[in-house]
Amino acid sequence: MFKNYIKIAFRNILKTKSISLINLLGITIGLVSSLIIFLYVFYETSYDSFHNKKDRIFKILSIDEAIGVSSSMVGMTIPALAETMKKEIPEVEEVVRIIDGGETLIRYEDRFLYAENYFYTSPSFLNIFDFEIKEGNPKTCLNSPYTAVLTESMAQKIFGEENPIGKTFSADGNENIEVTGIIKDSNKSSHINIDVIVSINPSPSDTSIIDYLNSWHSIGVIEYALLTDEKHQEKVINEIERTLRKNNVRPAWKATLQPLKDVHLKSEEILFDEFNKNKGNINYVRYLTLVAIVILLIASFNYMNLSTARSSKRAREVGVRKTVGARKKQLIIQHLLESVILIFISMVLSLGIVEVINNIFHVVNQALFQFIGLSPQFIVYLLLIVIVLGLISGVYPAFIMSGFKPHIVLKGKFETGKQGVLLKKILVGMQFVATFIMIVGVIIIVKQLDYTLKKDKGFDQSNIINITLNPQNTRSNFDAFKKEVEKTPGVQACATSSSMPGIGFGRVGVLPEGVSEEEDSWIVSMFVIDENYIPLMKMEFVEGENFRERMSRDILPVIVNESFVRSMGWKNGLNKTFRSHRWQAKVIGVIKDFHFTSLRHKIEPLFMIYRPGFNHILSIKLSPNNRTKTVKSIEKLWSQMYEGIPFNYDFYDETFSQLFKKEKSFSKMFFSFTLLSIIVAILGLFGLAAYSAEQRTKEIGIRKTFGASIKQLVVLQSNEYLRLIMLAILVAAPIAYYILKKWLQGFEYKINMSINVYFAAALIIILVTILTVGFHAFNSARKNPADTLRYE
């Protein structure tokens, strides 16, 4: 019996090749989109899921409610907090502290190389997190000072084929760091990226480190807590508040706990969170998931519409089968099986297409892609899609066709009922609603990205290379190296600083003049520059002057931004003073506001301190001509001055653009899938218009006989769809406005949603519909009435 169902199903699919092909193409495009988005979503939501204690691990975040701060959530916290929590809060089982070293120069014998992810941590790191240890004891390998654990790949880079255990290397001013463990390389996604981890445990003689780790009035440490039970989160947060106040931490400073599962996708608004690299965005994951569902539903609606539209063609078949004893249940199974088989074929095709796309565009890591493909969860997911989509697509046509009355359809008196016509209009209308929302969405998203990229940032990031300097290895020859670089043809200017916009600055508490120490201090961003920095970055002065060599140091000279002046309530900033608990500063200049973080954040108060000579970053402004030749000349100088040390640099415009990496990626994906959804809708509309035109052949012939023109006949057949479009736009416009307004709220600096966007989306849908429907209407209207009415 079941074998017979399958035979008939294939026979019917092949019998109506054009409609089957349209359905196959539409569903395949929908499935390809769905699978690609699923891979993306799986990758984004799988971060840190491999840790056995993941539900009990929480990141400790700081909440800075001081005046002057626009984004209060901070990814670092007070050094002494974590250990105190472990001692005083019973619900805290274990804690770990991390100090991020960032990119660090490593030396082994006469070889130098950079470790991109180098950090210090406590021995509990390997007990809380489940990074697989290949060699060494995870419980003891970080107990002693100056011990380190390396990944397999990093150990290979440093030591080659030598056994790394017991070997020593130098880094970050420490001469003899002993390798005590090796972490197995893994393709599992984690927000913690590891090359080298070094024990944070200080020796008794390291009094400065001990004092820092026990301090309560600074921040700079990343901390995690392992709770005895995840349900204790709120209780522990309350206990943290009590602990902070007990240790005289200022009232504006609070702390909270972020579940480990939220760290990757829900940290977009957190500042000073550079340790959490490649942050995701939960809203992007949700929007793309919704897009995948919409595309699948559009493809499913197409199937329902086309199957219902051609029901008259199969009416006699159903009548004959009922006459010879077929039951309604059997007919329903037959029609549902046809839709499931068609979707199964589409699924097989989709898997092959997705494999090719992933090989070309690398949606996810190839090893992870293969792992997902072999996992039982993925196979179950695919089967569920086939079955659910098959049922959704085939259930209505199955019930419609199985309900035909044999004595009516066999007399040739079958007509599509009012319910079928109404359903067709509803489904087509829903397609127009979904398509309109997605077109409006892609226009707004692309416009916002374009605004973000083109908006004046307040400085010029073009043709600048940055060289990160290692104090232990590059300080001695720095002045000589800088002078030689300045003489190099193609070099326009050089400057040094402690950081750059987009890389992250420090924060400090200050008190403006006229404010007593009893009041809350202002928290402002700050960094260090030399006298060449502002001219090199082409920042503009509002008032005052730039730093100069040999300027008076009686009081600390600083340059502030406009937001600093406004926040302090000053009419102008020149010659105003402010102080911290260690120094007093005088404003010698005010520069125009510039964006030093993402456009999601408001520009905060900032000041710059003068420090000539060696700083953390050397910025070199290049002539736009022959940049490659100039960089090679600088590299040659570097090799002469710092023999053996790799020349490591980056183009600043590329580094700064990383702030908008997620927006770019999301914009491209949303645009691509919107285009696919339009293609799927056009396919359905094309097939439906063809059938509608065929069913109205007699009517068109009669109208043409009575003098109707081709133009009138085309307009007549298009009007039905245009009315649906107008109704769909009325429904979709407020929905699109709500969704996109909510999305734009994530940006401090954003575009206005012009009504022109809605007109543009409406125009696109109308033009596409007229071209699609009009094509078939025109062909039908051109036919000779003598041919179309001959059978009468």
Side-chain angles (χ1 to χ4, degrees):
M1 176 71 77
F2 189 74
K3 185 178 179 182
N4 189 49
Y5 281 147
I6 294 176
K7 279 184 179 179
I8 295 171
F10 274 107
R11 191 180 300 156
N12 284 321
I13 289 170
L14 295 173
K15 188 177 179 181
T16 53
K17 293 185 180 65
S18 59
I19 292 300
S20 297
L21 182 61
I22 288 172
N23 281 329
L24 188 69
L25 282 173
I27 292 170
T28 300
I29 292 171
L31 287 173
V32 167
S33 304
S34 169
L35 292 173
I36 290 174
I37 291 173
F38 169 75
L39 288 170
Y40 170 79
V41 169
F42 181 92
Y43 180 74
E44 290 292 293
T45 56
S46 66
Y47 267 70
D48 301 304
S49 60
F50 62 93
H51 300 293
N52 293 327
K53 309 180 188 84
K54 57 182 179 293
D55 294 332
R56 297 192 288 126
I57 300 173
F58 294 82
K59 187 176 183 181
I60 304 172
L61 300 177
S62 296
I63 302 174
D64 189 354
E65 295 180 345
I67 307 168
V69 174
S70 63
S71 183
S72 61
M73 205 69 77
V74 178
M76 298 183 294
T77 192
I78 295 167
L81 178 59
E83 286 297 324
T84 306
M85 285 169 59
K86 182 182 176 182
K87 292 174 185 175
E88 299 183 2
I89 304 175
E91 290 77 14
V92 177
E93 181 179 318
E94 187 58 272
V95 294
V96 61
R97 293 187 286 191
I98 296 171
I99 298 177
D100 187 12
E103 187 179 70
T104 302
L105 184 65
I106 290 176
R107 178 173 62 82
Y108 172 64
E109 296 179 344
D110 59 347
R111 297 203 301 270
F112 290 88
L113 70 151
Y114 285 97
E116 187 176 345
N117 302 295
Y118 182 103
F119 59 88
Y120 300 87
T121 188
S122 45
S124 55
F125 178 85
L126 294 172
N127 298 328
I128 291 178
F129 299 106
D130 293 305
F131 293 101
E132 187 177 348
I133 291 289
K134 184 180 179 182
E135 296 182 57
N137 186 339
K139 295 182 179 179
T140 60
C141 58
L142 290 174
N143 283 351
S144 302
Y146 310 113
T147 54
V149 175
L150 284 61
T151 59
E152 286 179 290
S153 52
M154 197 66 210
Q156 174 74 23
K157 289 177 183 178
I158 298 173
F159 301 105
E161 298 302 319
E162 299 178 40
N163 181 3
I165 300 296
K167 292 283 194 303
T168 60
F169 63 90
S170 301
D172 200 24
N174 299 314
E175 285 299 320
N176 295 302
I177 302 172
E178 182 184 358
V179 179
T180 54
I182 300 295
I183 292 176
K184 190 173 182 179
D185 288 339
S186 172
N187 63 357
K188 294 173 182 175
S189 48
S190 173
H191 80 283
I192 300 176
N193 299 288
I194 301 173
D195 285 328
V196 180
I197 50 179
V198 180
S199 174
I200 206 173
N201 277 0
S203 64
S205 60
D206 294 328
T207 54
S208 60
I209 297 176
I210 293 171
D211 290 342
Y212 175 71
L213 293 176
N214 292 328
S215 66
W216 285 94
H217 299 287
S218 63
I219 67 166
V221 179
I222 299 109
E223 298 179 343
Y224 298 83
L226 175 67
L227 306 190
T228 55
D229 192 315
E230 61 184 290
K231 295 176 183 176
H232 294 150
Q233 180 183 357
E234 290 303 319
K235 184 177 181 182
V236 171
I237 291 172
N238 293 332
E239 289 297 313
I240 291 173
E241 173 65 17
R242 182 187 59 79
T243 302
L244 292 173
R245 302 293 82 81
K246 187 178 76 172
N247 287 278
N248 299 317
V249 176
R250 56 188 176 82
W253 195 268
K254 295 178 173 60
T256 189
L257 298 178
Q258 181 186 36
L260 183 66
K261 62 179 173 32
D262 293 344
V263 171
H264 174 66
L265 285 175
K266 297 182 180 179
S267 298
E268 187 69 26
E269 301 302 318
I270 299 173
L271 294 179
F272 299 94
D273 199 26
E274 286 75 24
F275 185 70
N276 182 9
K277 294 183 174 68
N278 303 314
K279 291 181 187 180
N281 188 313
I282 188 63
N283 289 325
Y284 293 169
V285 170
R286 288 168 179 163
Y287 291 143
L288 288 173
T289 302
L290 184 61
V291 167
I293 294 169
V294 167
I295 294 176
L296 282 177
L297 287 177
I298 289 174
S300 179
F301 292 167
N302 283 346
Y303 186 97
M304 293 171 69
N305 269 333
L306 292 172
S307 298
T308 306
R310 70 189 175 106
S311 59
S312 60
K313 297 285 186 182
R314 299 188 63 181
R316 290 183 186 276
E317 172 202 336
V318 173
V320 171
R321 293 180 68 182
K322 276 194 168 185
T323 302
V324 296
R327 295 191 299 272
K328 185 173 181 178
K329 177 183 175 183
Q330 292 172 314
L331 293 170
I332 290 172
I333 292 172
Q334 177 66 61
H335 292 299
L336 286 176
L337 192 60
E338 285 180 25
S339 65
V340 170
I341 287 173
L342 189 71
I343 289 166
F344 181 79
I345 295 170
S346 294
M347 180 63 79
V348 174
L349 289 172
S350 301
L351 289 171
I353 294 169
V354 170
E355 173 72 30
V356 172
I357 290 173
N358 193 61
N359 286 336
I360 296 172
F361 298 105
H362 307 293
V363 179
V364 294
N365 177 278
Q366 190 62 31
L368 179 61
F369 179 78
Q370 292 169 357
F371 169 76
I372 294 170
L374 294 172
S375 68
Q377 296 94 327
F378 186 66
I379 295 170
V380 170
Y381 168 80
L382 296 182
L383 291 174
L384 280 173
I385 285 182
V386 171
I387 294 169
V388 172
L389 200 59
L391 291 174
I392 292 172
S393 302
V395 68
Y396 184 78
F399 276 94
I400 286 289
M401 285 187 273
S402 63
F404 293 159
K405 306 294 183 184
H407 66 280
I408 295 176
V409 297
L410 291 177
K411 289 179 181 179
K413 295 182 178 180
F414 168 77
E415 292 180 1
T416 304
K418 291 182 179 179
Q419 289 182 339
V421 174
L422 179 62
L423 178 69
K424 183 189 79 170
K425 290 182 178 180
I426 291 172
L427 293 179
V428 172
M430 289 175 69
Q431 286 183 333
F432 286 141
V433 168
T435 306
F436 180 84
I437 292 171
M438 291 182 69
I439 292 173
V440 172
V442 80
I443 294 172
I444 292 291
I445 289 167
V446 170
K447 283 173 70 70
Q448 175 62 30
L449 177 63
D450 185 62
Y451 171 79
T452 298
L453 296 177
K454 292 181 178 178
K455 186 180 186 300
D456 181 16
K457 309 300 186 301
F459 57 88
D460 178 17
Q461 69 259 37
S462 62
N463 301 313
I464 296 174
I465 64 168
N466 287 329
I467 303 172
T468 302
L469 304 171
N470 183 286
Q472 283 74 37
N473 302 92
T474 59
R475 185 186 290 272
S476 56
N477 293 335
F478 174 73
D479 289 335
F481 173 70
K482 183 169 175 283
K483 285 179 182 178
E484 290 301 317
V485 169
E486 289 172 334
K487 296 177 187 176
T488 303
V491 172
Q492 296 181 347
C494 293
T496 64
S497 62
S498 60
S499 189
M500 296 284 284
I503 297 175
F505 299 150
R507 272 180 176 176
V508 64
V510 299
L511 289 165
E513 59 182 30
V515 175
S516 66
E517 292 190 15
E518 286 75 26
E519 300 181 57
D520 276 339
S521 63
W522 292 72
I523 296 295
V524 296
S525 297
M526 59 81 63
F527 70 121
V528 171
I529 63 172
D530 69 4
E531 68 277 7
N532 302 312
Y533 183 85
I534 291 176
L536 181 141
M537 297 292 285
K538 295 185 179 178
M539 295 176 175
E540 295 182 30
F541 275 92
V542 176
E543 55 180 331
E545 61 176 348
N546 190 18
F547 295 123
R548 305 186 311 273
E549 289 189 62
R550 296 182 296 275
M551 65 192 310
S552 172
R553 302 290 183 86
D554 295 338
I555 185 170
L556 182 68
V558 296
I559 294 172
V560 302
N561 66 352
E562 291 175 293
S563 290
F564 191 103
V565 175
R566 283 194 300 268
S567 297
M568 298 298 173
W570 299 334
K571 289 184 178 179
N572 54 69
L574 197 59
N575 296 322
K576 292 290 193 299
T577 61
F578 61 92
R579 67 190 188 282
S580 76
H581 64 283
R582 290 183 299 176
W583 43 258
Q584 185 167 5
K586 180 180 180 180
V587 178
I588 66 164
V590 179
I591 60 168
K592 286 183 69 174
D593 279 340
F594 63 91
H595 291 275
F596 53 91
T597 60
S598 159
L599 265 69
R600 289 181 176 276
H601 302 289
K602 185 179 179 181
I603 297 175
E604 294 184 355
L606 171 141
F607 70 94
M608 293 169 275
I609 296 174
Y610 179 51
R611 186 168 67 197
F614 186 90
N615 283 307
H616 183 58
I617 294 173
L618 172 64
S619 299
I620 305 171
K621 183 78 171 181
L622 307 178
S623 169
N625 302 319
N626 297 320
R627 294 196 313 177
T628 304
K629 184 180 178 181
T630 306
V631 171
K632 285 182 178 178
S633 299
I634 296 169
E635 183 176 9
K636 186 178 179 181
L637 282 173
W638 178 275
S639 300
Q640 292 169 356
M641 294 278 188
Y642 304 112
E643 186 177 354
I645 300 177
F647 179 61
N648 206 17
Y649 73 95
D650 59 78
F651 280 96
Y652 177 55
D653 53 355
E654 295 175 5
T655 303
F656 190 76
S657 70
Q658 292 299 304
L659 286 176
F660 316 106
K661 181 181 177 181
K662 287 293 177 183
E663 280 78 10
K664 287 180 182 178
S665 176
F666 175 68
S667 176
K668 287 179 181 177
M669 292 181 76
F670 198 90
F671 178 81
S672 301
F673 292 127
T674 298
L675 190 61
L676 288 173
S677 73
I678 294 170
I679 291 170
V680 174
I682 290 172
L683 282 170
L685 203 58
F686 188 86
L688 196 59
Y691 260 84
S692 296
E694 184 181 341
Q695 287 178 335
R696 300 180 73 172
T697 300
K698 178 180 174 182
E699 175 195 341
I700 291 168
I702 293 170
R703 286 181 180 274
K704 200 166 184 184
T705 302
F706 280 93
S709 66
I710 291 177
K711 179 182 177 182
Q712 288 172 323
L713 292 171
V714 170
V715 170
L716 175 71
Q717 294 180 73
S718 301
N719 273 343
E720 176 186 351
Y721 293 96
L722 292 176
R723 285 195 296 269
L724 278 175
I725 290 173
M726 293 301 118
L727 183 61
I729 290 171
L730 289 175
V731 173
I735 299 173
Y737 178 81
Y738 173 78
I739 293 172
L740 290 161
K741 185 179 180 182
K742 192 171 182 181
W743 181 73
L744 285 171
Q745 283 174 352
F747 296 88
E748 187 68 35
Y749 303 91
K750 50 185 175 283
I751 61 170
N752 294 318
M753 284 198 291
S754 168
I755 195 170
N756 293 335
V757 173
Y758 297 89
F759 284 127
L763 185 62
I764 290 170
I765 292 178
I766 290 169
L767 286 175
V768 167
T769 303
I770 288 174
L771 289 173
T772 307
V773 175
F775 173 78
H776 292 292
F778 181 75
N779 284 338
S780 298
R782 286 177 60 199
K783 291 179 182 177
N784 191 330
D787 296 328
T788 58
L789 297 175
R790 182 178 299 161
Y791 65 89
E792 291 291 331

